[in-house]
């Protein structure tokens, strides 16, 4: 980006960030997620780093906190309340250490302290002669708001400072002197007001019932609760407080001593704070916190790392409004912002054209992504997304990233609209949208894209699950003319493969072996692998279970021809009778098995030696019989696929969408819109623990 472009982008970013900050801090409202806003701030900071002369004093990067509200008295902080610079990757973190190490004579990394970064609201507490006399928010760092009455409702904030018990051995301070200093002078302690996850959920349930504002995150709620004119409302929110900074000088030499002192003074301080001596230590600590944070009662959005030696910390000074000797190493957000470089229609195995956004690569939840699905033309219209737009992209668990919002205020006017092509981008045949359907489809049944995608599907995990055979190898095999369809895979010989560029003898023999191993396939996997329109994993299971029961199939191997004959002889009405299988699905299966090209393909598979295994009939639990389960959010103790498998084993069905007929919605971490829909429809919702109980 040249300077002129950077200038324009910077101005727009500042406008959007400032507006969001105003909504968030002044009105306690949030239109964009914290993560998306952080991502914009990060982009702004990077641009300003590249073009420092474009930094202006009013840039959001140059200030901390927010405007003070009128309803509270203003308080000037004796020592400014600074903020922390954020980093998200190990590389950025290591850059920070290199930067500040240049300013100190010792070449080696000084001792660091790592602690939890609480996701709440920063508060400064002032005690005079041991009594809490003032509590203030950070405000803009210089001037905050007096929220003493509200803070006094928090039980974990001591109203009187006392020395509890003995100081730990490593603290080189005298207890008597400290006691005297507390009772005769002034003490300032800083920390974070937080709300527990449980209370956060509870309060939002009440808000929803009262038809009042839903809080976007615990920080928002903590801030909203502290800025209440009526302390009784604050008290009802059951807030909590963790102290992390002792501003008053008691002669302490290290930050770690402050933790010990704060605990002795009667504060809760970070239970996980540790001493870190190398970059490896930092990385281990961060990974540990990332793993354990779900089990904590409160939200933690990263770790704070700072120089332990207070003298060195002072020496390093401040850059902008952040101390050089401390940093927030945040967890990768599940949502971020990036730019749409292009939108292209991809032709799937059923001929459906799916618009896919090609993105400027960006890391979401620790994984770099460059593509996000736009689902269909209706979704593009709903979002109003154009090529060139800055968008919010998110990813939940192992789901494909999707675009959640478009930041239209960042438009330059050069963005281009996307229209679904009228001709298939692969075979150039026409594209049609059937009555009542959202999908656009290529009409050519032999479209090469369909064939390619069909092959990817045939070998995929939930179908034939052929080890080591992914889209890249399928592409090579197709492009070299080694295969025409899936049946040809089973005829491949080592010699055919060994000549190909990406194969050595060993990998050729491994692949041939892997293909051979899958010549026996489960009935439901076989039906799913055929890629019949509307026949996903669930429908394949329902249909094969029905056929097994109705035709009294034994738990044994069947040839493809034996099974196809059964299916071909089933009247379409009988397929429609299968519980959970709709009319559309039944008709689609019926016509697939009566198509002459498909019949030839089935014969070819039979000749290639594929046999189908019919499994034993399952014992079905009455809790699960005919019940449909829908999953949303991330599970912690098992993968989605394992959970689905369990449900099926017990006789339940899985669906991807919530309706009145849904039996249970299982909500993991970060649930999506399905949870809201379930709440709206009054469907039973289980959390992971309750679900585990049900399946055991
Ligand atoms: S040290 C210079 N330690 O994060 C500020 N801050 O993004 C020194 N925070 O304003 C703060 N947990 O509100 C520190 N263990 C922790 C923290 C923490 C949360 C907040 C704090 C600060 C913000 C900076």
């Amino acid at each position: 980006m040249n300077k002129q472009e950077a200038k324009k982008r910077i101005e727009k970013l500042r406008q959007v960030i400032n507006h969001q900050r105003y909504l968030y801090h002044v009105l306690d409202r949030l239109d964009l997620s914290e993560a998306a806003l952080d991502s914009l701030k990060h982009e702004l900071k990077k641009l300003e780093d590249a073009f420092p002369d474009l930094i202006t004093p009013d840039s959001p990067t140059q200030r901390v906190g927010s405007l003070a509200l009128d309803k509270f008295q203003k308080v000037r902080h004796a020592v400014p309340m600074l903020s922390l610079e954020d980093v998200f990757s190990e590389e950025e973190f290591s850059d920070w250490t290199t930067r500040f190490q240049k300013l100190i004579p010792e070449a080696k990394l000084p001792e660091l302290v790592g602690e939890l970064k609480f996701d709440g609201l920063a508060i400064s507490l002032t005690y005079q002669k041991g009594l809490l006399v003032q509590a203030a928010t950070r405000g803009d760092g210089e001037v905050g708001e007096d929220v003493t009455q509200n803070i006094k409702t928090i039980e974990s904030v001591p109203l009187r400072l006392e020395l509890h018990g003995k100081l730990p051995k490593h603290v080189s301070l005298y207890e008597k002197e400290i006691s005297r200093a507390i009772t005769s002078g002034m003490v300032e302690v800083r920390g974070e007001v937080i709300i527990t996850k449980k209370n956060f959920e509870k309060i939002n349930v009440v808000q929803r019932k009262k038809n009042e504002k839903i809080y976007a995150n615990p920080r928002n709620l903590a801030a909203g609760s502290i800025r209440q004119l009526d302390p009784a409302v604050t008290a009802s929110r059951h807030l909590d407080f963790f102290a992390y900074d002792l501003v008053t000088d008691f002669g302490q030499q290290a930050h770690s001593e402050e933790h010990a002192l704060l605990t002795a003074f009667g504060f809760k301080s970070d239970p996980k704070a540790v001493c870190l001596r190398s970059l490896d230590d930092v990385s281990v600590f961060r990974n540990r916190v990332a793993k354990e944070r779900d089990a904590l009662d409160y939200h933690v959005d990263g770790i704070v790392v700072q120089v332990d030696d207070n003298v060195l910390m002072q020496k390093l000074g401040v850059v902008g409004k952040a101390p050089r000797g401390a940093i927030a190493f945040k967890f990768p957000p599940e949502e971020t912002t990036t730019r749409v470089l292009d939108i292209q229609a991809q032709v799937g195995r059923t001929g459906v054209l799916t618009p896919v956004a090609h993105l400027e690569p960006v890391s979401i939840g620790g994984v770099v992504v460059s593509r996000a699905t736009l689902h269909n033309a209706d979704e593009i219209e709903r979002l109003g997304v154009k090529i060139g737009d800055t968008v919010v992209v998110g990813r939940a668990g192992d789901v494909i990233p999707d675009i959640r919002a478009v930041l239209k205020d960042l438009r330059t006017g050069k963005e281009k609209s996307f229209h679904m092509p009228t001709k298939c981008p692969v075979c150039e045949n026409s594209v049609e949208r059937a009555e009542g359907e959202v999908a656009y489809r290529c009409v050519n049944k032999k479209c090469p894209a369909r064939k390619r995608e069909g092959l990817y599907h045939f070998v995929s995990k939930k179908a034939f699950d052929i080890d080591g055979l992914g889209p890249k190898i399928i592409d090579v095999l197709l492009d070299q003319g080694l295969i025409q369809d899936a049946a040809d895979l089973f005829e491949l010989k080592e010699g055919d493969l060994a000549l190909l560029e990406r194969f050595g003898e060993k990998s050729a023999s491994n692949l041939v072996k892997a293909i051979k191993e899958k010549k026996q396939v489960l009935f439901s996997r076989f039906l799913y692998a055929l890629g019949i329109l509307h026949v996903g994993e669930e429908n394949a299971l329902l249909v094969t279970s029905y056929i097994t029961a109705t035709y009294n199939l034994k738990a044994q191997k069947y040839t493809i021809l034996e099974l196809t004959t059964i299916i071909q002889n089933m009247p379409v009405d009988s397929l429609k009778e299968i519980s959970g299988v709709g009319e559309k699905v039944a008709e689609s299966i019926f016509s697939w098995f009566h198509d002459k090209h498909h019949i030839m393909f089935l014969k070819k598979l039979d000749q290639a030696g594929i046999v189908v295994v019919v499994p034993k009939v399952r014992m079905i639990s009455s809790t699960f019989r005919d019940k449909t389960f829908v999953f949303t959010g991330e599970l912690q103790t098992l993968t989605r696929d394992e959970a689905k498998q369990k449900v099926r084993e017990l006789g339940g069905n899985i669906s991807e969408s919530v309706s009145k007929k849904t039996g249970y919605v299982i909500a993991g971490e970060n649930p999506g819109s399905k949870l809201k829909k379930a709440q709206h429809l009054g469907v039973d919702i289980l959390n992971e623990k309750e679900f585990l109980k049900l399946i055991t």
Side-chain angles (χ1 to χ4, degrees), residues 82-84 86 115-122 138 192 244-245 304 306 323 328:
L82 300 174
S83 131
L84 293 174
D86 290 340
E115 52 198 85
L116 301 177
K117 184 170 186 310
F118 302 102
D119 197 7
L121 183 76
R138 184 173 59 190
E192 200 86 347
Y244 51 65
D245 189 16
V304 173
Q306 60 185 301

PDB file of all heavy atoms in Angstrom, residues 82-84 86 115-122 138 192 244-245 304 306 323 328, ligand 1:
ATOM      1  N   LEU A  82      -2.157   3.507  32.714  1.00  0.00           N
ATOM      2  CA  LEU A  82      -1.729   3.226  31.343  1.00  0.00           C
ATOM      3  C   LEU A  82      -2.524   2.063  30.771  1.00  0.00           C
ATOM      4  O   LEU A  82      -3.377   1.481  31.428  1.00  0.00           O
ATOM      5  CB  LEU A  82      -0.235   2.913  31.335  1.00  0.00           C
ATOM      6  CG  LEU A  82       0.657   4.046  31.862  1.00  0.00           C
ATOM      7  CD1 LEU A  82       2.092   3.578  31.950  1.00  0.00           C
ATOM      8  CD2 LEU A  82       0.542   5.285  30.964  1.00  0.00           C
ATOM      9  N   SER A  83      -2.176   1.756  29.530  1.00  0.00           N
ATOM     10  CA  SER A  83      -2.836   0.601  28.922  1.00  0.00           C
ATOM     11  C   SER A  83      -1.731  -0.326  28.411  1.00  0.00           C
ATOM     12  O   SER A  83      -0.554  -0.028  28.609  1.00  0.00           O
ATOM     13  CB  SER A  83      -3.730   1.138  27.817  1.00  0.00           C
ATOM     14  OG  SER A  83      -3.541   0.461  26.656  1.00  0.00           O
ATOM     15  N   LEU A  84      -2.074  -1.423  27.794  1.00  0.00           N
ATOM     16  CA  LEU A  84      -1.034  -2.346  27.324  1.00  0.00           C
ATOM     17  C   LEU A  84      -1.103  -2.493  25.822  1.00  0.00           C
ATOM     18  O   LEU A  84      -2.190  -2.442  25.233  1.00  0.00           O
ATOM     19  CB  LEU A  84      -1.241  -3.732  27.949  1.00  0.00           C
ATOM     20  CG  LEU A  84      -1.031  -3.859  29.450  1.00  0.00           C
ATOM     21  CD1 LEU A  84      -1.420  -5.252  29.907  1.00  0.00           C
ATOM     22  CD2 LEU A  84       0.421  -3.587  29.809  1.00  0.00           C
ATOM     23  N   ASP A  86      -1.114  -4.773  22.609  1.00  0.00           N
ATOM     24  CA  ASP A  86      -1.552  -6.166  22.381  1.00  0.00           C
ATOM     25  C   ASP A  86      -0.670  -6.852  21.353  1.00  0.00           C
ATOM     26  O   ASP A  86      -0.354  -6.253  20.328  1.00  0.00           O
ATOM     27  CB  ASP A  86      -2.967  -6.192  21.772  1.00  0.00           C
ATOM     28  CG  ASP A  86      -4.024  -5.757  22.758  1.00  0.00           C
ATOM     29  OD1 ASP A  86      -3.759  -5.810  23.956  1.00  0.00           O
ATOM     30  OD2 ASP A  86      -5.118  -5.374  22.290  1.00  0.00           O
ATOM     31  N   GLU A 115       0.978 -13.476  33.964  1.00  0.00           N
ATOM     32  CA  GLU A 115      -0.268 -13.623  34.721  1.00  0.00           C
ATOM     33  C   GLU A 115      -1.463 -13.604  33.786  1.00  0.00           C
ATOM     34  O   GLU A 115      -1.329 -13.328  32.594  1.00  0.00           O
ATOM     35  CB  GLU A 115      -0.377 -12.538  35.796  1.00  0.00           C
ATOM     36  CG  GLU A 115      -0.171 -11.142  35.294  1.00  0.00           C
ATOM     37  CD  GLU A 115       0.146 -10.172  36.430  1.00  0.00           C
ATOM     38  OE1 GLU A 115       1.332 -10.055  36.817  1.00  0.00           O
ATOM     39  OE2 GLU A 115      -0.783  -9.543  36.911  1.00  0.00           O
ATOM     40  N   LEU A 116      -2.615 -13.890  34.351  1.00  0.00           N
ATOM     41  CA  LEU A 116      -3.823 -13.927  33.530  1.00  0.00           C
ATOM     42  C   LEU A 116      -4.216 -12.517  33.125  1.00  0.00           C
ATOM     43  O   LEU A 116      -4.043 -11.577  33.896  1.00  0.00           O
ATOM     44  CB  LEU A 116      -4.984 -14.519  34.341  1.00  0.00           C
ATOM     45  CG  LEU A 116      -4.803 -15.921  34.877  1.00  0.00           C
ATOM     46  CD1 LEU A 116      -6.025 -16.318  35.708  1.00  0.00           C
ATOM     47  CD2 LEU A 116      -4.604 -16.918  33.745  1.00  0.00           C
ATOM     48  N   LYS A 117      -4.733 -12.387  31.925  1.00  0.00           N
ATOM     49  CA  LYS A 117      -5.300 -11.090  31.533  1.00  0.00           C
ATOM     50  C   LYS A 117      -6.810 -11.215  31.708  1.00  0.00           C
ATOM     51  O   LYS A 117      -7.494 -11.892  30.944  1.00  0.00           O
ATOM     52  CB  LYS A 117      -4.939 -10.752  30.094  1.00  0.00           C
ATOM     53  CG  LYS A 117      -5.450  -9.369  29.721  1.00  0.00           C
ATOM     54  CD  LYS A 117      -4.916  -8.898  28.404  1.00  0.00           C
ATOM     55  CE  LYS A 117      -5.312  -7.469  28.125  1.00  0.00           C
ATOM     56  NZ  LYS A 117      -6.725  -7.170  28.290  1.00  0.00           N
ATOM     57  N   PHE A 118      -7.290 -10.610  32.783  1.00  0.00           N
ATOM     58  CA  PHE A 118      -8.726 -10.682  33.098  1.00  0.00           C
ATOM     59  C   PHE A 118      -9.500  -9.806  32.124  1.00  0.00           C
ATOM     60  O   PHE A 118      -9.062  -8.702  31.786  1.00  0.00           O
ATOM     61  CB  PHE A 118      -8.980 -10.177  34.522  1.00  0.00           C
ATOM     62  CG  PHE A 118      -8.223 -10.955  35.556  1.00  0.00           C
ATOM     63  CD1 PHE A 118      -7.071 -10.444  36.126  1.00  0.00           C
ATOM     64  CD2 PHE A 118      -8.649 -12.208  35.941  1.00  0.00           C
ATOM     65  CE1 PHE A 118      -6.359 -11.151  37.068  1.00  0.00           C
ATOM     66  CE2 PHE A 118      -7.948 -12.934  36.890  1.00  0.00           C
ATOM     67  CZ  PHE A 118      -6.800 -12.404  37.452  1.00  0.00           C
ATOM     68  N   ASP A 119     -10.651 -10.296  31.707  1.00  0.00           N
ATOM     69  CA  ASP A 119     -11.443  -9.535  30.744  1.00  0.00           C
ATOM     70  C   ASP A 119     -12.535  -8.788  31.499  1.00  0.00           C
ATOM     71  O   ASP A 119     -13.643  -9.279  31.668  1.00  0.00           O
ATOM     72  CB  ASP A 119     -12.051 -10.510  29.729  1.00  0.00           C
ATOM     73  CG  ASP A 119     -12.526  -9.793  28.489  1.00  0.00           C
ATOM     74  OD1 ASP A 119     -12.254  -8.585  28.371  1.00  0.00           O
ATOM     75  OD2 ASP A 119     -13.174 -10.438  27.656  1.00  0.00           O
ATOM     76  N   GLY A 120     -12.179  -7.633  32.012  1.00  0.00           N
ATOM     77  CA  GLY A 120     -13.148  -6.863  32.791  1.00  0.00           C
ATOM     78  C   GLY A 120     -12.880  -5.386  32.673  1.00  0.00           C
ATOM     79  O   GLY A 120     -12.557  -4.899  31.584  1.00  0.00           O
ATOM     80  N   LEU A 121     -12.981  -4.701  33.788  1.00  0.00           N
ATOM     81  CA  LEU A 121     -12.863  -3.248  33.779  1.00  0.00           C
ATOM     82  C   LEU A 121     -11.784  -2.838  34.788  1.00  0.00           C
ATOM     83  O   LEU A 121     -11.833  -3.259  35.951  1.00  0.00           O
ATOM     84  CB  LEU A 121     -14.222  -2.667  34.204  1.00  0.00           C
ATOM     85  CG  LEU A 121     -14.347  -1.160  34.187  1.00  0.00           C
ATOM     86  CD1 LEU A 121     -14.495  -0.678  32.749  1.00  0.00           C
ATOM     87  CD2 LEU A 121     -15.569  -0.726  34.990  1.00  0.00           C
ATOM     88  N   ALA A 122     -10.822  -1.995  34.334  1.00  0.00           N
ATOM     89  CA  ALA A 122      -9.734  -1.577  35.231  1.00  0.00           C
ATOM     90  C   ALA A 122     -10.247  -0.561  36.249  1.00  0.00           C
ATOM     91  O   ALA A 122     -10.991   0.350  35.893  1.00  0.00           O
ATOM     92  CB  ALA A 122      -8.612  -0.953  34.408  1.00  0.00           C
ATOM     93  N   ARG A 138     -10.764   3.959  34.761  1.00  0.00           N
ATOM     94  CA  ARG A 138      -9.580   4.501  34.093  1.00  0.00           C
ATOM     95  C   ARG A 138      -9.896   5.773  33.301  1.00  0.00           C
ATOM     96  O   ARG A 138      -9.073   6.672  33.206  1.00  0.00           O
ATOM     97  CB  ARG A 138      -9.003   3.436  33.157  1.00  0.00           C
ATOM     98  CG  ARG A 138      -7.731   3.891  32.522  1.00  0.00           C
ATOM     99  CD  ARG A 138      -7.096   2.778  31.756  1.00  0.00           C
ATOM    100  NE  ARG A 138      -7.987   2.286  30.726  1.00  0.00           N
ATOM    101  CZ  ARG A 138      -7.776   1.185  30.015  1.00  0.00           C
ATOM    102  NH1 ARG A 138      -6.733   0.453  30.262  1.00  0.00           N
ATOM    103  NH2 ARG A 138      -8.613   0.811  29.088  1.00  0.00           N
ATOM    104  N   GLU A 192      -8.807  -5.464  38.335  1.00  0.00           N
ATOM    105  CA  GLU A 192      -9.860  -5.611  37.335  1.00  0.00           C
ATOM    106  C   GLU A 192     -11.158  -6.063  37.997  1.00  0.00           C
ATOM    107  O   GLU A 192     -11.160  -7.023  38.777  1.00  0.00           O
ATOM    108  CB  GLU A 192      -9.393  -6.686  36.327  1.00  0.00           C
ATOM    109  CG  GLU A 192     -10.083  -6.652  35.017  1.00  0.00           C
ATOM    110  CD  GLU A 192      -9.450  -5.675  34.012  1.00  0.00           C
ATOM    111  OE1 GLU A 192      -8.607  -4.844  34.409  1.00  0.00           O
ATOM    112  OE2 GLU A 192      -9.844  -5.749  32.834  1.00  0.00           O
ATOM    113  N   TYR A 244      -4.018  -6.510  40.572  1.00  0.00           N
ATOM    114  CA  TYR A 244      -2.795  -6.902  39.872  1.00  0.00           C
ATOM    115  C   TYR A 244      -1.664  -5.879  39.982  1.00  0.00           C
ATOM    116  O   TYR A 244      -0.583  -6.086  39.461  1.00  0.00           O
ATOM    117  CB  TYR A 244      -3.062  -7.248  38.405  1.00  0.00           C
ATOM    118  CG  TYR A 244      -3.849  -6.220  37.614  1.00  0.00           C
ATOM    119  CD1 TYR A 244      -3.352  -4.959  37.361  1.00  0.00           C
ATOM    120  CD2 TYR A 244      -5.105  -6.552  37.110  1.00  0.00           C
ATOM    121  CE1 TYR A 244      -4.072  -4.026  36.643  1.00  0.00           C
ATOM    122  CE2 TYR A 244      -5.840  -5.622  36.391  1.00  0.00           C
ATOM    123  CZ  TYR A 244      -5.312  -4.353  36.153  1.00  0.00           C
ATOM    124  OH  TYR A 244      -6.027  -3.439  35.450  1.00  0.00           O
ATOM    125  N   ASP A 245      -1.927  -4.746  40.619  1.00  0.00           N
ATOM    126  CA  ASP A 245      -0.873  -3.731  40.653  1.00  0.00           C
ATOM    127  C   ASP A 245      -0.921  -2.955  41.968  1.00  0.00           C
ATOM    128  O   ASP A 245      -1.979  -2.442  42.355  1.00  0.00           O
ATOM    129  CB  ASP A 245      -1.102  -2.771  39.468  1.00  0.00           C
ATOM    130  CG  ASP A 245       0.056  -1.796  39.282  1.00  0.00           C
ATOM    131  OD1 ASP A 245       1.137  -2.068  39.847  1.00  0.00           O
ATOM    132  OD2 ASP A 245      -0.125  -0.787  38.585  1.00  0.00           O
ATOM    133  N   VAL A 304      -0.787 -11.444  30.568  1.00  0.00           N
ATOM    134  CA  VAL A 304      -0.005 -10.212  30.637  1.00  0.00           C
ATOM    135  C   VAL A 304       1.397 -10.639  31.046  1.00  0.00           C
ATOM    136  O   VAL A 304       1.563 -11.436  31.968  1.00  0.00           O
ATOM    137  CB  VAL A 304      -0.596  -9.240  31.689  1.00  0.00           C
ATOM    138  CG1 VAL A 304       0.323  -8.040  31.890  1.00  0.00           C
ATOM    139  CG2 VAL A 304      -1.982  -8.784  31.262  1.00  0.00           C
ATOM    140  N   GLN A 306       5.179  -9.105  32.096  1.00  0.00           N
ATOM    141  CA  GLN A 306       5.917  -7.878  32.380  1.00  0.00           C
ATOM    142  C   GLN A 306       7.234  -8.156  33.074  1.00  0.00           C
ATOM    143  O   GLN A 306       7.432  -9.217  33.671  1.00  0.00           O
ATOM    144  CB  GLN A 306       5.075  -6.895  33.167  1.00  0.00           C
ATOM    145  CG  GLN A 306       4.587  -7.364  34.497  1.00  0.00           C
ATOM    146  CD  GLN A 306       3.654  -6.302  35.092  1.00  0.00           C
ATOM    147  OE1 GLN A 306       4.044  -5.172  35.302  1.00  0.00           O
ATOM    148  NE2 GLN A 306       2.424  -6.692  35.355  1.00  0.00           N
ATOM    149  N   PRO A 323       3.351   1.028  28.934  1.00  0.00           N
ATOM    150  CA  PRO A 323       4.707   0.839  29.446  1.00  0.00           C
ATOM    151  C   PRO A 323       5.492  -0.072  28.509  1.00  0.00           C
ATOM    152  O   PRO A 323       4.936  -1.034  27.976  1.00  0.00           O
ATOM    153  CB  PRO A 323       4.470   0.163  30.799  1.00  0.00           C
ATOM    154  CG  PRO A 323       3.132  -0.475  30.701  1.00  0.00           C
ATOM    155  CD  PRO A 323       2.334   0.324  29.721  1.00  0.00           C
ATOM    156  N   ALA A 328       0.394  -7.253  26.570  1.00  0.00           N
ATOM    157  CA  ALA A 328      -0.717  -8.217  26.622  1.00  0.00           C
ATOM    158  C   ALA A 328      -0.530  -9.170  25.458  1.00  0.00           C
ATOM    159  O   ALA A 328      -0.523  -8.754  24.306  1.00  0.00           O
ATOM    160  CB  ALA A 328      -2.049  -7.482  26.504  1.00  0.00           C
TER     161      ALA A 328
HETATM  162  S1  LIG B   1      -1.247  -4.795  34.160  1.00  0.00           S
HETATM  163  C1  LIG B   1      -0.286  -0.598  32.101  1.00  0.00           C
HETATM  164  N1  LIG B   1      -2.301  -7.101  34.581  1.00  0.00           N
HETATM  165  O1  LIG B   1      -5.731  -5.127  30.573  1.00  0.00           O
HETATM  166  C2  LIG B   1      -1.465  -1.306  32.566  1.00  0.00           C
HETATM  167  N2  LIG B   1      -3.543  -5.514  33.335  1.00  0.00           N
HETATM  168  O2  LIG B   1      -5.148  -4.027  27.963  1.00  0.00           O
HETATM  169  C3  LIG B   1      -1.013  -2.311  33.538  1.00  0.00           C
HETATM  170  N3  LIG B   1      -5.744  -6.337  32.623  1.00  0.00           N
HETATM  171  O3  LIG B   1      -5.815  -1.758  31.466  1.00  0.00           O
HETATM  172  C4  LIG B   1      -2.004  -3.341  33.610  1.00  0.00           C
HETATM  173  N4  LIG B   1      -5.590  -8.309  33.535  1.00  0.00           N
HETATM  174  O4  LIG B   1      -7.487  -3.388  32.613  1.00  0.00           O
HETATM  175  C5  LIG B   1      -2.471  -5.896  34.016  1.00  0.00           C
HETATM  176  N5  LIG B   1      -3.103  -9.193  35.054  1.00  0.00           N
HETATM  177  C6  LIG B   1      -3.275  -7.998  34.502  1.00  0.00           C
HETATM  178  C7  LIG B   1      -4.450  -7.651  33.806  1.00  0.00           C
HETATM  179  C8  LIG B   1      -4.539  -6.392  33.227  1.00  0.00           C
HETATM  180  C9  LIG B   1      -6.354  -7.493  32.840  1.00  0.00           C
HETATM  181  C10 LIG B   1      -6.334  -5.233  31.846  1.00  0.00           C
HETATM  182  C11 LIG B   1      -6.184  -3.890  32.484  1.00  0.00           C
HETATM  183  C12 LIG B   1      -5.432  -3.063  31.488  1.00  0.00           C
HETATM  184  C13 LIG B   1      -5.764  -3.782  30.215  1.00  0.00           C
HETATM  185  C14 LIG B   1      -4.750  -3.492  29.152  1.00  0.00           C
END
